[in-house]
Amino acid sequence: MTDDADLELPRGIALAWGVAADPQRGPKREMSVEKIVDAAVELADAEGLGAVSMAAVAARLGYTPMSLYRYVSAKDDLLLLMQEEATGLPPAPEGQTTGWRERLRDGFTAMVGSYLRHPWMLDIPITGSPITPNSSAWIESSLVALADTPLTQEERIAVTLLVTGQARWYGTVLAGYASQARTTGMSPEQITEREGALFDALISADGYPALRAAVDAGAFVSDADPFQFGIERILDGVAAYLDALTAGGERPDRPSWITLEDADVAGDKKVRDAQKAVRDADKALRDATKVERAAVRDARERLARHPSA
């Protein structure tokens, strides 16, 4: 950790690392940051993130909200500590011979599991890297798994983001299906069948020929797991890149795509208006294409009925 005396840690991060000053007043023996966080996590697990407030957590513990504020002074800090608690530690490697691919896959699976146990974590907005002990341990675990590869430090971080991003997306979808199952009483199989039926009823070959072909092939009612397929292809790509580096291949130039500057102008009214014009033009093109295909189909049917016409 840095020795910079001028660096002032945000309260939530200081609490997570255990370096925050203790409160000067309050029911010290009965109350603690740990008890507050545990109660908040239990509440979120039972009722969702929307149920978590300082008042609700205080009531769960049998104290007033002001008692909590002496320990956790802001709800954002509480959410950070809840996320830290629910994230936990990454899985330890099972043996010294475990390779980078197996370790990253194990981490991916464990991360998805944490989202399923605590789906409310997915509702916490991402505002930057969560610089907390457990979150740092997950990054450390991935970097250690890649330590013996020829990847640069930047590339190891990039691979880590690939795996964690896929895990978050997978967790988001699974948590959404689980929530739908609870609220509707439908089984996962029934939800899949219903979605397949909706695709079958609404997707036409005229408007969406490629998507219609996927529907007809049973892609939306298949028991194949697209996210497991995806993580394996991600790891295949990393393996191929490593093989190329080992064989003496050159690293590609850094691409320049989306930047923070792009995000800064995204809210500009002229930019929004231009983007809406593009969307409207795209929709008009799709509608015109649909009309064209329908006309072509009708013409072929007429020719089939009256070949000499």
Side-chain angles (χ1 to χ4, degrees):
M1 297 180 64
T2 180
D3 293 329
D4 189 347
D6 295 330
L7 180 62
E8 182 178 352
L9 294 177
R11 173 71 178 174
I13 292 177
L15 286 168
W17 285 97
V19 295
D22 292 331
Q24 299 301 312
R25 303 180 306 278
K28 294 183 180 179
R29 287 179 294 181
E30 295 83 3
M31 184 79 77
S32 68
V33 172
E34 291 76 13
K35 288 183 178 180
I36 293 170
V37 173
D38 286 344
V41 168
E42 290 173 1
L43 186 61
D45 285 345
E47 303 179 36
L49 193 64
V52 177
S53 66
M54 300 298 275
V57 175
R60 192 177 186 90
L61 291 169
Y63 290 100
T64 65
M66 286 307 300
S67 299
L68 268 65
Y69 281 111
R70 297 189 183 105
Y71 293 82
V72 182
S73 57
K75 185 179 178 181
D76 285 346
D77 293 341
L78 178 59
L79 293 178
L80 178 69
L81 296 171
M82 290 170 60
Q83 185 179 35
E84 171 73 356
E85 175 69 20
T87 297
L89 291 171
E94 295 184 358
Q96 296 298 323
T97 59
T98 305
W100 66 266
R101 182 169 186 142
E102 291 74 17
R103 293 184 66 174
L104 292 184
R105 187 191 296 113
D106 289 345
F108 168 83
T109 302
M111 195 172 297
V112 173
S114 69
Y115 289 135
L116 290 178
R117 290 189 298 274
H118 309 287
W120 50 266
M121 282 201 295
L122 297 162
D123 295 329
I124 298 178
I126 298 175
T127 57
S129 299
I131 309 173
T132 54
N134 288 348
S135 295
S136 298
W138 281 87
I139 299 175
E140 172 75 7
S141 176
S142 179
L143 296 180
V144 169
L146 297 167
D148 293 332
T149 70
L151 296 177
T152 65
Q153 294 292 352
E154 288 180 347
E155 290 169 339
R156 293 172 192 176
I157 291 291
V159 171
T160 299
L161 292 175
L162 267 175
V163 174
T164 57
Q166 180 76 351
R168 185 178 180 90
W169 176 223
Y170 192 15
T172 298
V173 172
L174 289 181
Y177 275 76
S179 175
Q180 185 178 173
R182 287 193 299 271
T183 56
T184 64
M186 299 170 67
S187 68
E189 293 76 18
Q190 289 173 321
I191 294 173
T192 299
E193 289 174 2
R194 180 175 181 273
E195 288 186 344
L198 289 173
F199 271 107
D200 189 40
L202 297 172
I203 300 303
S204 68
D206 288 336
Y208 309 91
L211 183 55
R212 182 68 233 185
V215 172
D216 291 339
F220 292 95
V221 294
S222 169
D223 58 1
D225 189 328
F227 294 98
Q228 292 289 349
F229 177 88
I231 189 63
E232 292 301 331
R233 300 298 73 76
I234 286 173
L235 297 177
D236 283 347
V238 175
Y241 183 61
L242 290 174
D243 288 343
L245 291 178
T246 303
E250 295 184 359
R251 283 185 162 82
D253 294 333
R254 291 185 180 182
S256 179
W257 296 326
I258 299 173
T259 66
L260 289 177
E261 288 75 15
D262 296 325
D264 289 340
V265 302
D268 183 87
K269 186 178 186 302
K270 289 185 177 180
V271 173
R272 292 201 308 271
D273 290 345
Q275 291 170 339
K276 183 178 185 301
V278 171
R279 291 195 298 271
D280 290 343
D282 285 341
K283 183 178 185 301
L285 177 60
R286 291 195 301 271
D287 290 343
T289 301
K290 184 177 180 179
V291 171
E292 178 192 26
R293 287 171 176 161
V296 169
R297 184 183 65 245
D298 291 343
R300 286 173 176 167
E301 290 175 353
R302 287 196 303 270
L303 285 174
R305 291 194 300 268
H306 308 288
S308 59

